[in-house]
Structures are given as structure tokens and as C-alpha cells.
Amino acid sequence: MRLSHFVALAAATSVAACQQPDQDWANKAALQAGAPLENAAALREAQTARFPETSEQRLLVEATQVLQDLGFTIEESAPRYGVLAGSKDRDATEAGQVVGQVALTVGLALLGVRYNPVYDTDQVIRATLTTQPLGTHDSQLRVSFERIVTTNQGLSRVERLTEAEFSSGFFERVRAGLARAA
């Protein structure tokens, strides 16, 4: 192998290795089939909030408005059962990922290896909500988010968005909307 080929391959590998991972390893471990029960319980707790003095119906109406304000299209709604689902389409292209794939393609081409770069192009972000009455005046809301990512080669993968900021940010908006309406 010529030195220039080795340098090109090393550079391509280095650039590709700098890409951000899809999720951190702890989130992936929590979603695996044999994950400890406490991880599932912690995830469920982070995705759930209690709303004192709020009816289930009022909570569902406000959560629907927040989803729509965030650009989601409501796809499924069963208010009688406290269930709501929505989605929004977004571009998933990341410059670093594309640059890494191009560098890898060029590096491998210098070695005579043909490689078809794979990078994310589109994503659908889905939100699923459930409400539940707690006693006579209180309700709770659970929200979960996931994204379905499609690559330039038409392959798709599903990733749960489990970072606490997704749920807590959503709950803050719902609380603010309820306060304005009060």
C-alpha cells in the first residue's frame, strides 16, 4: 500500500469517526430487550407529569395545542381514552455526517474500493400522548417522542428520543398554556 493511500484512508476514517452518535450508550441500553426494570421505570417517570386541578379533557386540549404549535400534525386522536398521536417531517441531513461519508468514499476510492456513502436525509418525529385522571380533580400526562430516520439509500431506522429535555420542555409549554387559560 502506498503511503498516500494509507494517509487518505486514515483521514477518511478519522473524519467518519468524528460523527455524533445517534444516541448515547445509556439510552440505547435502556431500550434494549434485557434492560433492567429500573431504567424503564426511570424513563416512564421522566415522560410523565402530574397536573393538579386539571381535568383530563382540559389537559388533552392543551397538549394538542402545544403539539400543533410545535409543528406536529395530529394523526390519531381518541379523547375518550386520553390518547393522541402526531408527527412532523424534518430534514435530517447533517453536514458532518455527509462530509465524513464523502471523505470515506474518496479515501476508499484511492485504494480502489468502491463505496456508496450512506447518510441521513429525512426524518419523521412522532409524539404519543396519554392522559389519565388521578382522583377527582387531578390528571397526569405521559408523552414519548421517537424519530424515524431515512437515509439517502432508502433505509430507515427508529430511534426513541429519551433525553429528559424533550418531555420536560413539552410539560413546561403545557403548564404555560394552562396558566394563560386560567
Side-chain angles (χ1 to χ4, degrees), residues 86-102:
S87 68
K88 65 180 176 178
D89 298 330
R90 291 291 180 258
D91 181 19
T93 307
E94 295 180 14
Q97 187 183 44
V98 173
V99 167
Q101 287 292 303
V102 168

Side-chain angles (χ1 to χ4, degrees), residues 114-175:
R114 184 172 181 204
Y115 174 73
N116 289 324
V118 179
Y119 52 88
D120 300 339
T121 56
D122 301 300
Q123 64 182 324
V124 175
I125 302 171
R126 290 191 43 85
T128 305
L129 306 171
T130 56
T131 59
Q132 180 180 3
L134 300 174
T136 55
H137 301 291
D138 300 348
S139 298
Q140 80 176 15
L141 172 66
R142 182 173 179 192
V143 62
S144 62
F145 295 94
E146 69 180 8
R147 72 183 196 140
I148 302 149
V149 182
T150 305
T151 69
N152 63 315
Q153 295 187 10
L155 304 173
S156 295
R157 69 181 181 280
V158 177
E159 300 172 352
R160 291 189 183 171
L161 303 174
T162 58
E163 291 80 6
E165 298 83 36
F166 288 105
S167 300
S168 63
F170 183 80
F171 295 142
E172 288 172 16
R173 287 176 176 253
V174 170
R175 284 191 175 90

Side-chain angles (χ1 to χ4, degrees), residues 2-13:
R2 293 179 44 196
L3 181 59
S4 62
H5 291 151
F6 179 74
V7 171
L9 181 60
T13 304

Side-chain angles (χ1 to χ4, degrees), residues 23-156:
Q23 297 176 320
D24 66 14
W25 66 271
N27 287 336
K28 285 184 178 179
L31 298 173
Q32 290 177 352
L37 186 57
E38 61 270 8
N39 288 346
L43 177 59
R44 187 172 49 252
E45 184 177 330
Q47 294 175 336
T48 306
R50 184 180 184 129
F51 291 83
E53 301 297 320
T54 306
S55 72
E56 188 179 10
Q57 181 180 7
R58 179 69 191 119
L59 185 56
L60 196 56
V61 167
E62 188 58 43
T64 300
Q65 291 174 351
V66 169
L67 276 181
Q68 290 174 331
D69 290 347
L70 293 171
F72 284 82
T73 300
I74 305 304
E75 296 176 331
E76 300 173 37
S77 177
R80 180 177 180 183
Y81 302 105
V83 176
L84 179 70
S87 68
K88 65 180 176 178
D89 298 330
R90 291 291 180 258
D91 181 19
T93 307
E94 295 180 14
Q97 187 183 44
V98 173
V99 167
Q101 287 292 303
V102 168
L104 184 60
T105 302
V106 169
L108 291 173
L110 291 173
L111 297 173
V113 176
R114 184 172 181 204
Y115 174 73
N116 289 324
V118 179
Y119 52 88
D120 300 339
T121 56
D122 301 300
Q123 64 182 324
V124 175
I125 302 171
R126 290 191 43 85
T128 305
L129 306 171
T130 56
T131 59
Q132 180 180 3
L134 300 174
T136 55
H137 301 291
D138 300 348
S139 298
Q140 80 176 15
L141 172 66
R142 182 173 179 192
V143 62
S144 62
F145 295 94
E146 69 180 8
R147 72 183 196 140
I148 302 149
V149 182
T150 305
T151 69
N152 63 315
Q153 295 187 10
L155 304 173
S156 295

